[in-house]
Protein backbone atom coordinates (compact mmCIF):
# COMPACT_ATOMS: atom_id res chain seq x y z
CA UNK A 1 0.00 0.00 0.00
CA UNK A 2 1.38 3.39 -1.04
CA UNK A 3 1.97 5.95 1.68
CA UNK A 4 -0.85 8.53 1.85
CA UNK A 5 0.22 12.02 0.82
CA UNK A 6 -0.90 15.62 0.62
CA UNK A 7 -0.08 16.79 -2.91
CA UNK A 8 0.01 20.56 -3.53
CA UNK A 9 -1.86 21.99 -6.52
CA UNK A 10 -1.24 25.14 -8.59
CA UNK A 11 -4.26 26.70 -6.83
CA UNK A 12 -2.50 26.55 -3.45
CA UNK A 13 -4.74 23.74 -2.25
CA UNK A 14 -3.88 20.13 -1.50
CA UNK A 15 -5.10 16.80 -2.81
CA UNK A 16 -5.30 14.06 -0.22
CA UNK A 17 -4.19 10.87 -1.95
CA UNK A 18 -4.16 7.36 -0.57
CA UNK A 19 -5.55 3.88 -0.81
CA UNK A 20 -6.84 1.27 1.61
CA UNK A 21 -8.04 3.06 4.77
CA UNK A 22 -6.92 6.35 3.18
CA UNK A 23 -9.22 5.90 0.20
CA UNK A 24 -11.78 8.15 1.80
CA UNK A 25 -14.21 7.84 -1.10
CA UNK A 26 -14.42 4.12 -0.38
CA UNK A 27 -14.65 4.67 3.37
CA UNK A 28 -17.47 7.18 2.89
CA UNK A 29 -19.40 4.79 0.64
CA UNK A 30 -18.88 1.93 3.09
CA UNK A 31 -20.12 4.00 6.03
CA UNK A 32 -23.24 4.93 4.07
CA UNK A 33 -23.90 1.30 3.21
CA UNK A 34 -23.62 0.32 6.86
CA UNK A 35 -25.88 3.20 7.89
CA UNK A 36 -28.55 2.16 5.39
CA UNK A 37 -28.29 -1.44 6.59
CA UNK A 38 -29.05 -0.33 10.14
CA UNK A 39 -25.48 -0.86 11.37
CA UNK A 40 -25.37 2.67 12.70
CA UNK A 41 -22.71 2.21 15.38
CA UNK A 42 -20.33 0.63 12.87
CA UNK A 43 -20.94 3.46 10.43
CA UNK A 44 -20.23 6.08 13.10
CA UNK A 45 -17.04 4.31 14.18
CA UNK A 46 -15.88 4.08 10.56
CA UNK A 47 -16.34 7.81 10.11
CA UNK A 48 -14.65 8.68 13.38
CA UNK A 49 -11.61 6.52 12.63
CA UNK A 50 -11.36 8.13 9.20
CA UNK A 51 -11.32 11.58 10.85
CA UNK A 52 -8.46 10.49 13.07
CA UNK A 53 -6.51 9.30 10.03
CA UNK A 54 -7.15 12.60 8.25
CA UNK A 55 -5.87 14.58 11.23
CA UNK A 56 -2.73 12.45 11.41
CA UNK A 57 -1.88 13.45 7.83
CA UNK A 58 -2.03 17.18 8.53
CA UNK A 59 1.18 19.06 9.35
CA UNK A 60 1.52 20.72 12.73
CA UNK A 61 2.31 24.07 11.13
CA UNK A 62 1.01 25.76 8.01
CA UNK A 63 -2.37 26.13 6.39
CA UNK A 64 -3.86 23.20 4.49
CA UNK A 65 -6.88 23.74 2.27
CA UNK A 66 -8.18 20.59 0.62
CA UNK A 67 -9.10 20.71 -3.05
CA UNK A 68 -12.88 20.49 -3.26
CA UNK A 69 -12.83 19.19 -6.84
CA UNK A 70 -10.57 16.28 -5.93
CA UNK A 71 -12.68 13.19 -5.24
CA UNK A 72 -10.75 11.78 -2.29
CA UNK A 73 -10.22 15.18 -0.67
CA UNK A 74 -13.92 15.99 -0.93
CA UNK A 75 -14.79 12.62 0.60
CA UNK A 76 -12.46 13.40 3.50
CA UNK A 77 -14.33 16.66 4.12
CA UNK A 78 -17.67 14.84 3.93
CA UNK A 79 -16.48 12.30 6.49
CA UNK A 80 -15.46 15.04 8.91
CA UNK A 81 -18.86 16.71 8.59
CA UNK A 82 -20.70 13.40 8.94
CA UNK A 83 -18.76 12.51 12.08
CA UNK A 84 -19.46 15.96 13.51
CA UNK A 85 -23.17 15.27 12.97
CA UNK A 86 -22.80 11.84 14.61
CA UNK A 87 -21.39 13.45 17.75
CA UNK A 88 -23.92 16.29 17.69
CA UNK A 89 -26.78 13.76 17.64
CA UNK A 90 -25.51 12.09 20.82
CA UNK A 91 -25.02 15.42 22.54
CA UNK A 92 -21.22 15.59 22.35
CA UNK A 93 -21.29 19.22 21.28
CA UNK A 94 -17.65 19.85 22.18
CA UNK A 95 -16.26 17.17 19.87
CA UNK A 96 -18.78 18.09 17.19
CA UNK A 97 -17.58 21.70 17.33
CA UNK A 98 -13.91 20.66 17.18
CA UNK A 99 -14.57 18.61 14.06
CA UNK A 100 -16.47 21.42 12.40
CA UNK A 101 -13.68 23.87 13.22
CA UNK A 102 -11.28 21.46 11.49
CA UNK A 103 -13.67 21.21 8.55
CA UNK A 104 -13.71 24.99 8.12
CA UNK A 105 -9.92 25.15 8.33
CA UNK A 106 -9.64 22.60 5.53
CA UNK A 107 -12.49 24.12 3.51
CA UNK A 108 -12.77 27.86 4.23
CA UNK A 109 -15.41 28.24 1.51
CA UNK A 110 -17.64 25.95 3.59
CA UNK A 111 -19.05 23.94 0.71
CA UNK A 112 -20.81 21.63 3.18
CA UNK A 113 -22.30 24.46 5.26
CA UNK A 114 -20.75 23.25 8.48
CA UNK A 115 -21.10 26.76 9.92
CA UNK A 116 -24.81 26.22 10.63
CA UNK A 117 -24.25 23.23 12.89
CA UNK A 118 -21.19 24.85 14.46
CA UNK A 119 -23.31 27.83 15.48
CA UNK A 120 -25.75 25.52 17.28
CA UNK A 121 -22.80 23.75 18.95
CA UNK A 122 -21.44 27.05 20.25
CA UNK A 123 -24.79 28.02 21.77
CA UNK A 124 -25.08 24.62 23.46
CA UNK A 125 -21.58 25.09 24.88
CA UNK A 126 -22.32 28.64 26.02
CA UNK A 127 -19.61 30.02 23.72
CA UNK A 128 -21.57 33.11 22.77
CA UNK A 129 -18.69 35.18 21.39
CA UNK A 130 -17.76 32.35 19.05
CA UNK A 131 -21.43 32.02 18.12
CA UNK A 132 -21.57 35.71 17.25
CA UNK A 133 -18.57 35.29 14.95
CA UNK A 134 -19.82 32.29 13.00
CA UNK A 135 -23.50 33.27 12.90
CA UNK A 136 -22.54 36.23 10.73
CA UNK A 137 -21.65 33.68 8.04
CA UNK A 138 -25.08 32.03 8.16
CA UNK A 139 -27.50 33.48 5.63
CA UNK A 140 -30.47 35.41 7.02
CA UNK A 141 -32.58 33.55 4.46
CA UNK A 142 -32.21 30.29 6.40
CA UNK A 143 -34.95 29.48 8.93
CA UNK A 144 -32.20 27.91 11.05
CA UNK A 145 -30.65 31.39 11.42
CA UNK A 146 -33.83 32.65 13.05
CA UNK A 147 -33.99 29.63 15.37
CA UNK A 148 -30.37 29.97 16.47
CA UNK A 149 -30.70 33.72 16.95
CA UNK A 150 -33.73 33.33 19.19
CA UNK A 151 -32.19 30.46 21.12
CA UNK A 152 -28.91 32.30 21.70
CA UNK A 153 -30.79 35.33 23.00
CA UNK A 154 -32.92 33.10 25.23
CA UNK A 155 -29.91 31.34 26.69
CA UNK A 156 -28.24 34.68 27.38
CA UNK A 157 -31.19 36.57 28.83
CA UNK A 158 -33.91 34.04 29.66
CA UNK A 159 -36.34 35.54 27.17
CA UNK A 160 -37.00 35.49 23.44
CA UNK A 161 -36.81 38.95 21.84
CA UNK A 162 -40.30 39.98 20.73
CA UNK A 163 -39.08 41.20 17.35
CA UNK A 164 -37.34 37.92 16.56
CA UNK A 165 -40.36 35.95 17.74
CA UNK A 166 -42.75 37.99 15.59
CA UNK A 167 -40.51 37.56 12.55
CA UNK A 168 -40.24 33.82 13.10
CA UNK A 169 -44.01 33.49 13.49
CA UNK A 170 -44.82 35.53 10.37
CA UNK A 171 -41.92 34.84 8.00
CA UNK A 172 -41.48 31.16 8.85
CA UNK A 173 -44.99 30.13 9.87
CA UNK A 174 -44.53 26.40 9.05
CA UNK A 175 -41.39 26.35 11.21
CA UNK A 176 -43.12 28.14 14.07
CA UNK A 177 -45.95 25.61 13.85
CA UNK A 178 -43.50 22.68 13.86
CA UNK A 179 -41.39 23.95 16.74
CA UNK A 180 -44.49 24.49 18.88
CA UNK A 181 -46.23 21.22 17.90
CA UNK A 182 -46.82 18.47 20.45
CA UNK A 183 -45.45 15.73 18.17
CA UNK A 184 -42.94 15.51 15.33
CA UNK A 185 -43.33 12.06 13.76
CA UNK A 186 -40.97 10.92 11.02
CA UNK A 187 -43.87 9.00 9.47
CA UNK A 188 -44.34 7.75 5.92
CA UNK A 189 -46.05 10.93 4.78
CA UNK A 190 -43.15 13.05 5.99
CA UNK A 191 -40.57 10.73 4.43
CA UNK A 192 -42.33 10.78 1.04
CA UNK A 193 -42.54 14.55 1.19
CA UNK A 194 -38.95 15.27 2.26
CA UNK A 195 -37.50 12.81 -0.24
CA UNK A 196 -39.51 14.25 -3.13
CA UNK A 197 -38.22 16.70 -5.72
CA UNK A 198 -39.91 19.66 -4.06
CA UNK A 199 -40.39 19.08 -0.33
CA UNK A 200 -43.08 21.21 1.26
CA UNK A 201 -42.22 23.91 3.76
CA UNK A 202 -43.88 21.81 6.46
CA UNK A 203 -41.63 18.84 5.68
CA UNK A 204 -38.53 21.04 5.69
CA UNK A 205 -39.61 22.47 9.03
CA UNK A 206 -39.92 18.96 10.47
CA UNK A 207 -36.53 18.07 9.04
CA UNK A 208 -34.95 21.01 10.88
CA UNK A 209 -36.70 19.95 14.09
CA UNK A 210 -35.47 16.36 13.75
CA UNK A 211 -31.95 17.52 12.95
CA UNK A 212 -31.83 19.66 16.10
CA UNK A 213 -34.07 17.62 18.41
CA UNK A 214 -31.17 16.69 20.69
CA UNK A 215 -30.85 20.37 21.60
CA UNK A 216 -34.49 20.68 22.65
CA UNK A 217 -34.20 17.46 24.65
CA UNK A 218 -31.17 18.81 26.49
CA UNK A 219 -32.41 22.42 26.68
CA UNK A 220 -36.23 22.22 26.79
CA UNK A 221 -36.86 25.66 28.30
CA UNK A 222 -36.51 27.38 24.92
CA UNK A 223 -39.24 25.23 23.35
CA UNK A 224 -41.45 25.78 26.39
CA UNK A 225 -41.05 29.52 25.89
CA UNK A 226 -41.96 29.21 22.21
CA UNK A 227 -45.02 27.14 23.05
CA UNK A 228 -46.06 29.65 25.71
CA UNK A 229 -45.84 32.39 23.09
CA UNK A 230 -48.00 30.32 20.72
CA UNK A 231 -50.59 29.73 23.45
CA UNK A 232 -50.60 33.41 24.37
CA UNK A 233 -51.19 34.40 20.75
CA UNK A 234 -54.00 31.87 20.25
CA UNK A 235 -55.70 32.97 23.44
CA UNK A 236 -55.47 36.66 22.62
Amino acid sequence: MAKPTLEPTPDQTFELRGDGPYDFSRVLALSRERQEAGRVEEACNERFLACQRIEELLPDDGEVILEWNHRNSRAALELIRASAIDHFLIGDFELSAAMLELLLELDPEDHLEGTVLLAFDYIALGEYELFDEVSNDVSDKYPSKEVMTMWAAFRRTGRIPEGELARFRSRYAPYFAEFTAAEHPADEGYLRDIEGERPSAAAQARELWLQTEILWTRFPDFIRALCAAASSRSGA
Side-chain angles (χ1 to χ4, degrees), residues 104 114-120 122-123 127-142 144-146 148-150 152 156:
L104 292 174
T115 301
V116 175
L117 188 60
L118 181 57
F120 279 116
Y122 282 154
I123 303 171
E127 297 285 357
Y128 302 121
E129 291 184 5
L130 292 175
F131 164 74
D132 290 339
E133 291 178 16
V134 300
S135 65
N136 289 328
D137 295 326
V138 179
S139 172
D140 291 336
K141 296 180 181 179
Y142 290 178
S144 56
K145 176 67 173 285
E146 201 66 53
M148 67 177 65
T149 300
M150 289 190 299
R156 282 166 154 160

Side-chain angles (χ1 to χ4, degrees), residues 131-204:
F131 164 74
D132 290 339
E133 291 178 16
V134 300
S135 65
N136 289 328
D137 295 326
V138 179
S139 172
D140 291 336
K141 296 180 181 179
Y142 290 178
S144 56
K145 176 67 173 285
E146 201 66 53
V147 173
M148 67 177 65
T149 300
M150 289 190 299
W151 185 40
F154 181 80
R155 289 214 70 198
R156 282 166 154 160
T157 68
R159 58 184 295 275
I160 303 173
E162 292 183 7
E164 298 290 347
L165 180 60
R167 183 161 50 251
F168 187 55
R169 181 189 284 123
S170 61
R171 187 174 180 182
Y172 301 108
Y175 290 82
F176 181 77
E178 183 65 36
F179 274 67
T180 55
E183 297 180 346
H184 315 270
D187 52 22
E188 290 184 8
Y190 158 73
L191 293 173
R192 281 196 304 270
D193 193 340
I194 200 65
E195 292 170 2
E197 290 186 10
R198 294 186 177 181
S200 67
Q204 293 178 64

Side-chain angles (χ1 to χ4, degrees), residues 1-218:
M1 183 177 68
K3 182 179 179 180
T5 59
L6 280 169
E7 296 290 333
T9 75
D11 296 326
Q12 297 183 323
T13 60
F14 289 83
E15 294 179 351
L16 208 168
R17 300 181 183 178
D19 53 19
Y22 295 92
D23 180 350
F24 295 114
S25 296
R26 185 192 64 80
V27 175
L28 180 63
L30 180 61
S31 72
R32 287 172 174 168
E33 288 174 9
R34 288 177 173 171
Q35 185 94 20
E36 291 171 1
R39 297 159 62 185
V40 177
E41 185 174 354
E42 289 181 40
C44 292
N45 288 338
E46 192 75 48
R47 291 188 282 262
F48 183 59
L49 290 173
C51 290
Q52 292 180 316
R53 290 193 291 270
I54 293 165
E55 284 195 277
E56 289 170 359
L57 294 173
L58 302 176
D60 293 332
D61 300 314
E63 181 182 60
V64 172
I65 297 175
L66 293 183
E67 175 54 54
W68 176 252
N69 294 316
H70 181 251
R71 183 168 175 265
N72 203 48
S73 302
R74 182 185 298 194
L77 295 171
E78 291 183 49
L79 282 163
I80 295 171
R81 178 180 180 272
S83 192
I85 293 172
D86 292 338
H87 287 87
F88 177 85
L89 292 176
I90 62 172
D92 192 342
F93 306 119
E94 188 170 0
L95 188 50
S96 175
M99 288 183 164
L100 292 167
E101 289 167 350
L102 174 63
L103 177 67
L104 292 174
E105 289 176 11
L106 299 175
D107 179 33
E109 292 188 29
D110 195 14
H111 291 90
L112 298 172
E113 298 187 335
T115 301
V116 175
L117 188 60
L118 181 57
F120 279 116
D121 276 327
Y122 282 154
I123 303 171
L125 293 168
E127 297 285 357
Y128 302 121
E129 291 184 5
L130 292 175
F131 164 74
D132 290 339
E133 291 178 16
V134 300
S135 65
N136 289 328
D137 295 326
V138 179
S139 172
D140 291 336
K141 296 180 181 179
Y142 290 178
S144 56
K145 176 67 173 285
E146 201 66 53
V147 173
M148 67 177 65
T149 300
M150 289 190 299
W151 185 40
F154 181 80
R155 289 214 70 198
R156 282 166 154 160
T157 68
R159 58 184 295 275
I160 303 173
E162 292 183 7
E164 298 290 347
L165 180 60
R167 183 161 50 251
F168 187 55
R169 181 189 284 123
S170 61
R171 187 174 180 182
Y172 301 108
Y175 290 82
F176 181 77
E178 183 65 36
F179 274 67
T180 55
E183 297 180 346
H184 315 270
D187 52 22
E188 290 184 8
Y190 158 73
L191 293 173
R192 281 196 304 270
D193 193 340
I194 200 65
E195 292 170 2
E197 290 186 10
R198 294 186 177 181
S200 67
Q204 293 178 64
R206 182 155 303 173
E207 181 181 42
L208 180 59
W209 169 275
L210 294 172
Q211 289 172 340
T212 57
E213 187 172 15
I214 183 63
L215 297 174
W216 321 131
T217 300
R218 296 289 182 89

